[in-house]
Amino acid sequence: MNVPLDPARSSRWQNAQALIGQEVAQLDTPALVIDLDAMERNLAHMAAYARAHGLRLRPHAKMHKSAELARLQMAHGAVGVCVQKTDEALALARGGVTDIYISNEVIALPKLQRLAQAVRTLPDTRFAIAVDSAAGVLRLAQALEAASVGGENRIDVFVEIDVGQGRCGVPPGEPAVDLARLIAQHPVLRFAGLQAYHGGAQHRRDPAERAKAIGEAAWAAALTRERLQAAGFTVPLITGAGTGTFSLETASHVWGELQVGSYLFMDADYARNESAPLAPVFEHALFLKAQVMSRGAQHAVCDAGHKSHAIDSGLPAVWSPPGLVFANGGDEHGILRAAHAGQALPDLGDTVWLVPGHCDPTVNLHDLLFGVRGGLSEGKVERLIAVDTRGALG
């Protein structure tokens, strides 16, 4: 069990410890709850899939933001984890995570200086980072050199290519070769391969649309690898993929590493995807416990507004009681209505279980997660899990 890395949250943590061993009914609301049994099945399914296909598994820790869960994933075969921010990487490193890839560009010198100090002072922790510009390469090298990093402490650098997301990354082909040449000029840097992630494909509902997007991404990644090899570079790894598409990246035989994240918890938005062939089926494992606080003639109100769950990917789904739909009531309130005529509304004080629309930013709203064993209705709180990188935006 991790203790929160931020001392300001320690009092809430200490108060919550009294709930360990208590029934789920004792949890105050709103509370973010992990069904440990479901989570562990998801963990096992993905680990087995990666092993069966000979792929490296590098889950995205920006989803759960927890050093404890990152270590758990590595204990089940993951080679390490991804993050998107420097401060996320540093927080997880302080929490004992020993292989961390910042799968994003970092340009600001103060952030690079913090990373360089960690590379120098934590020699047993492997760090890697993505770049998509000459400035990114030069600033990274300068920060590492200023921190006297050298020898085996070199940092692995992946060149990010835009495979269809339209966000970060250089165009496929020669621009990546140019960056690889620049990386090779700096002894503190080691060219490690390509970052090729298509986030925009993850939530395309139709499997055929997802397959088309990943087919185009595979072509772009393979083309870039060929150009690099023609220029004399070895491409050790192409890394990418997500929970919505990983079976497609696998089938392409282009990617060697899967950066899946949401599989561990799943959320309401992923549940709206039509399942892809040959992909494991994952369960909802992250739930928001809420309570009915008011009743109207045609609706009930629960105490879980959007200060307790993210709404960027849609509103939560009501898991229990069945037959209800959730509507946005603002910061502190959720509106519950019957999905069908004749459906009874919950009474004052009743518990409502919600599946968040988007797990990553929902977790970022909470200091801790309650790990429950034995189901949501009759289970008990087994452990607390700290959200170590909450607010780690730098």
Side-chain angles (χ1 to χ4, degrees), residues 198-242:
H198 194 334
Q202 304 307 312
H203 298 281
R204 295 184 184 181
R205 304 306 180 201
D206 184 350
E209 292 183 4
R210 296 201 297 276
K212 181 177 183 294
I214 297 306
E216 293 169 352
W219 177 87
L223 170 69
T224 306
R225 178 173 58 192
E226 290 172 5
R227 296 290 174 82
L228 283 159
Q229 290 170 337
F233 289 97
T234 299
V235 183
L237 183 66
I238 297 178
T239 180

Side-chain angles (χ1 to χ4, degrees), residues 19-106:
L19 292 164
I20 295 176
Q22 299 296 309
E23 294 181 353
V24 179
Q26 300 303 312
L27 287 179
D28 201 0
T29 57
L32 201 54
V33 172
I34 298 175
D35 181 335
L36 294 174
D37 299 309
M39 182 191 76
E40 289 170 3
R41 288 190 290 269
N42 291 343
L43 180 73
H45 288 328
M46 183 57 82
Y49 179 92
R51 285 195 303 271
H53 290 86
L55 293 168
R56 292 160 56 96
L57 179 60
R58 184 177 292 279
H60 233 308
K62 75 177 180 67
M63 191 281 291
H64 53 67
K65 300 172 175 60
S66 162
E68 179 177 344
L69 294 182
R71 295 196 308 268
L72 180 66
Q73 290 172 314
M74 292 179 70
H76 282 75
V79 297
V81 297
C82 299
V83 295
Q84 291 290 81
K85 298 289 187 176
T86 300
D87 288 345
E88 287 180 328
L90 301 185
L92 293 184
R94 291 194 297 270
V97 183
T98 56
D99 195 312
I100 305 166
Y101 169 39
I102 304 172
S103 55
N104 198 8
E105 285 66 38
V106 180

Side-chain angles (χ1 to χ4, degrees), residues 238-284:
I238 297 178
T239 180
T243 297
T245 65
F246 68 89
S247 64
L248 300 169
E249 281 93 348
T250 299
S252 75
H253 302 292
V254 171
W255 282 264
E257 184 174 84
L258 304 178
Q259 295 177 8
V260 289
S262 296
Y263 79 92
L264 192 66
F265 288 169
M266 298 303 286
D267 53 35
D269 191 58
Y270 264 114
R272 299 181 187 110
N273 279 3
E274 185 179 343
S275 297
L278 305 179
V281 176
F282 301 106
E283 306 171 52
H284 291 304

